[in-house]
Amino acid sequence: IIKKEKYKDEAISLIMGGVYTALEEEALARKTYQGIMKAHPRSEEACVFLAKTYSIDKEYARAKRLLTRCEKRIKGKAIFAYYKGKIEVSRERVKQAVVEFKRALRIDPTYYQAALALGVHYERNQKVQKAANLYKKFLEKVPHQFTVLNRLVQIMFSLGANKEVIPLA
């Protein structure tokens, strides 16, 4: 159907790419995402999922080049910097990952995945207060983002800041 329709229906094509990925048919998934990118050059999802297939095959440079091209084509989207950061994490290049997560937050200060990734990095490196400050600043912009709020509440409990936790909770 996808071949016959020439990837006109982006949603169905993305679902099929996801099915191929779930079945570990990476070549078919890659071909599907490439077809979507051709038919829908501004598809964020196709770009990210295609980059993930490259990453799975440890083609990190190729994945990052693709994300950079998409970022230039689809301006103002934090998702590309965030996924570059995730690639760096998988390569155990933490400093570069932090740079990308921070950049994602500069692009979109409400992009919670980047806030979480950066905050968790701080928590793991015993910079708990820095993580708490990041979460607080984020929640000023997006007060009801449950996952970030939950992380902050857990930190505040661990720091014994019970009076501060009550309004957050």
Side-chain angles (χ1 to χ4, degrees):
I1 293 171
I2 293 171
K3 196 173 185 179
K4 182 180 175 188
E5 293 292 320
K6 297 185 177 150
Y7 303 93
K8 286 180 187 170
D9 189 322
E10 182 181 358
I12 289 175
S13 301
L14 285 167
I15 290 169
M16 197 66 227
V19 169
Y20 287 140
T21 299
L23 295 173
E24 297 180 3
E25 296 282 351
E26 291 303 320
L28 290 171
R30 187 175 292 183
K31 184 178 177 182
T32 302
Y33 294 131
Q34 287 168 336
I36 298 167
M37 293 282 305
K38 198 174 206 178
H40 305 276
R42 298 184 55 80
S43 174
E44 295 169 40
E45 295 88 353
C47 180
V48 168
F49 294 144
L50 180 58
K52 281 183 178 182
T53 68
Y54 294 144
S55 227
I56 288 168
D57 289 341
K58 299 191 182 343
E59 294 181 49
Y60 302 116
R62 190 174 185 186
K64 286 182 69 175
R65 279 193 310 271
L66 172 64
L67 291 168
T68 299
R69 281 195 315 270
C70 292
E71 190 171 24
K72 287 177 182 174
R73 187 179 319 123
I74 311 167
K75 301 222 184 287
K77 298 293 184 172
I79 191 170
F80 304 116
Y82 170 72
Y83 273 98
K84 285 181 189 177
K86 285 189 62 139
I87 288 169
E88 295 300 351
V89 167
S90 69
R91 298 176 74 184
E92 297 180 12
R93 296 170 59 174
V94 179
K95 286 182 183 179
Q96 292 89 337
V98 167
V99 167
E100 293 296 346
F101 294 145
K102 285 180 178 179
R103 195 166 68 78
L105 285 172
R106 279 194 308 277
I107 294 167
D108 181 358
T110 66
Y111 196 76
Y112 84 93
Q113 293 96 326
L116 281 172
L118 191 54
V120 168
H121 164 73
Y122 292 148
E123 289 178 56
R124 287 183 180 157
N125 288 284
Q126 277 66 54
K127 297 178 183 176
V128 179
Q129 191 58 56
K130 195 169 185 174
N133 292 340
L134 172 79
Y135 295 146
K136 285 177 186 176
K137 185 177 176 182
F138 178 85
L139 289 167
E140 287 173 7
K141 295 171 191 72
V142 189
H144 300 292
Q145 207 307 313
F146 176 76
T147 312
V148 174
L149 182 60
N150 186 45
R151 297 294 301 196
L152 178 58
V153 167
Q154 293 304 315
I155 288 173
M156 301 312 286
F157 273 130
S158 74
L159 295 173
N162 297 341
K163 286 183 182 178
E164 286 185 58
V165 170
I166 293 168
L168 293 171

